[in-house]
Amino acid sequence: MLFDGDMVRLVLKEALKTGGDFADIFAERRRGYNLRLEEEKVEENVSGSESGAGIRVMRGETVSYAYTNDLSKDSLMETARVAAAASRGLEGKVVDLEKPWIYLPYIDEHPCELDADHYPREGKIDLLHRADQAARHAGPHVVQVVVMLGDSRQEVLVANSLGEMVEDLRIRVRMVVQVVAAKDGEIQTGHESPGILGGYEMFREFQPEELGSKAAEQALTMLEARPAPTGSMPVIIANGTGGVLFHEACGHGLEADAVYKQASVFAGKIGEKVASRIVNAYDDATLTNRWGSFNYDDEGVRASRTPLIEEGALCSFINDRKRSLRDGVPPTGNGRRQSYRFIAIPRMTNTLIAPGDAKPGEIIADTPLALYARKLGGGEVNPVTGDFIFAVTEGYMVRGGELAEAVKGATLIGNGPRVLQDIDAVADDLDLDTGMCGKEGQAVPVSTGQPTLRVRELVVGGTAEVV
């Protein structure tokens, strides 16, 4: 434990000495280790550690926050005084901190077999080289391979004026493989980036050789691709990485802070039909060992599975403590922060469209002509309207119910809520991908996922006519 309950009680009393509705403390001890292999050499070998705590006081809609990188009693008490002073003069109640504490100890629901702290550096470097060599052996047109490997260990303690105190331990490992291929002045890239909440046992499922080969094959395939067509047409979006479209175009609009600010297209639509009846969507931080999972969020709320859309109807938003207290609803366990230096805000965890009953091959066979988006890249989204544009980094045409030629340079242009309405087929092959989600200057680990699905019509931006 970072510090005991008596210390917590003293600190929270100090934070609430001028009054307040709610106060909490988030403390962490974190260390990270990162390796980078480029041109077959380890170019970067970075490790670091830090610890600190943040203290928050809430009075109605007003929030004051202060933090320190010193976990000593004197520093914590001074930080609490700063947080209290920031809200001085505002109306609020003095919270009773004499009632018994509810202590929720660390729960190990995400097993870690090969702890990052005990996995040898030589073994980590070997993983890098294995991915690198597999990518280079994929073909003579591979001109650059970069492999990055990172692991982290975060110990967390959260306590609040409701008398709750919890601990969590989060160990994460992630590998990123980036490949560049070139031919006749054409350059294309490939990318693979699995990660887990767990240890180096990750590489039993994600072999470095397979990651290197997949990234290289994507780049090499796109070298031979034809220009993508342009116009409105059905689009089949592959499982896994396609989930980023739902995350960006719809998910952020389901976060309670955006809803409260009327900056979400979903504001005021609980209970309304916002998607096709075959669409079910969830945010689920309980998925075992997934990159965006945890036992407790950064406000000490137990991880949960939150239904967002069920049979096409909007059923809930994801919130944090502030929004749950304001709205009088239970917290969903989505209060997240990058570190103790930041205040917690509503964030997605593992956000996905649930699997349906169809088979991926059946959806393709049932489609005379379409774009098949196997991988999506970066994009832009207007969260107020849901309008988006996304790059397709690996795409193919579907012709006569079969996958045909590879195409490059495609973009998907549309509106998130409209896309949800236009989904007319959902397969049973759910898969998830990993990423770092940015919001208000904070980045946190998330997974995005979906099964293979078909959108009835979507605007495809390209440079060729549909043939």
Side-chain angles (χ1 to χ4, degrees), residues 118 160 256:
H118 300 102
N160 61 44

Side-chain angles (χ1 to χ4, degrees), residues 242-253:
V244 70
L245 194 155
F246 176 74
H247 172 101
E248 294 291 353
C250 301
H252 283 296

Side-chain angles (χ1 to χ4, degrees), residues 173-347:
V173 175
R174 190 184 190 209
M175 175 175 275
V176 177
V177 184
Q178 298 173 342
V179 177
V180 178
K183 179 184 177 183
D184 300 330
E186 176 81 11
I187 296 175
Q188 293 290 334
T189 61
H191 181 271
E192 290 290 326
S193 57
I196 68 168
L197 178 69
Y200 278 81
E201 67 275 7
M202 179 185 93
F203 293 101
R204 296 172 186 165
E205 178 181 357
F206 300 99
Q207 293 290 323
E209 293 84 357
E210 183 179 359
L211 299 177
S213 296
K214 280 186 175 181
E217 287 168 8
Q218 179 189 343
L220 293 169
T221 298
M222 289 298 101
L223 271 185
E224 306 298 331
R226 300 178 185 178
T230 187
S232 296
M233 68 188 75
V235 174
I236 299 173
I237 305 175
N239 63 344
T241 57
V244 70
L245 194 155
F246 176 74
H247 172 101
E248 294 291 353
C250 301
H252 283 296
L254 296 171
E255 294 168 335
D257 52 350
V259 175
Y260 179 73
K261 297 172 186 175
Q262 295 294 309
S264 166
V265 69
F266 296 107
K269 294 186 177 180
I270 291 291
E272 295 185 17
K273 184 178 182 294
V274 297
S276 165
R277 284 188 60 84
I278 60 174
V279 173
N280 296 279
Y282 303 89
D283 184 87
D284 192 351
T286 70
L287 295 176
T288 304
N289 291 119
R290 287 295 185 177
W291 178 245
S293 296
F294 42 75
N295 294 296
Y296 298 97
D297 74 359
D298 294 328
E299 297 180 301
V301 179
R302 191 79 172 89
S304 66
R305 181 176 188 263
T306 304
L308 301 173
I309 298 171
E310 290 191 327
E311 296 184 352
L314 181 64
C315 50
S316 63
F317 301 119
I318 54 178
N319 63 33
D320 58 0
R321 288 274 193 187
K322 177 182 177 182
R323 281 80 189 180
S324 71
L325 290 171
R326 181 196 65 213
D327 298 338
V329 297
T332 59
N334 291 88
R336 306 187 67 190
R337 66 186 91 205
Q338 180 172 313
S339 76
Y340 67 90
R341 293 182 173 88
F342 299 86
I343 197 164
I345 54 178
R347 305 295 299 272

Side-chain angles (χ1 to χ4, degrees), residues 234 236 358-370 398 400-402 424-425 454:
I236 299 173
K359 300 296 181 184
E362 294 173 351
I363 295 177
I364 293 173
D366 187 48
T367 310
L369 177 69
V398 173
E402 295 182 351
D424 63 3
R454 183 177 61 202

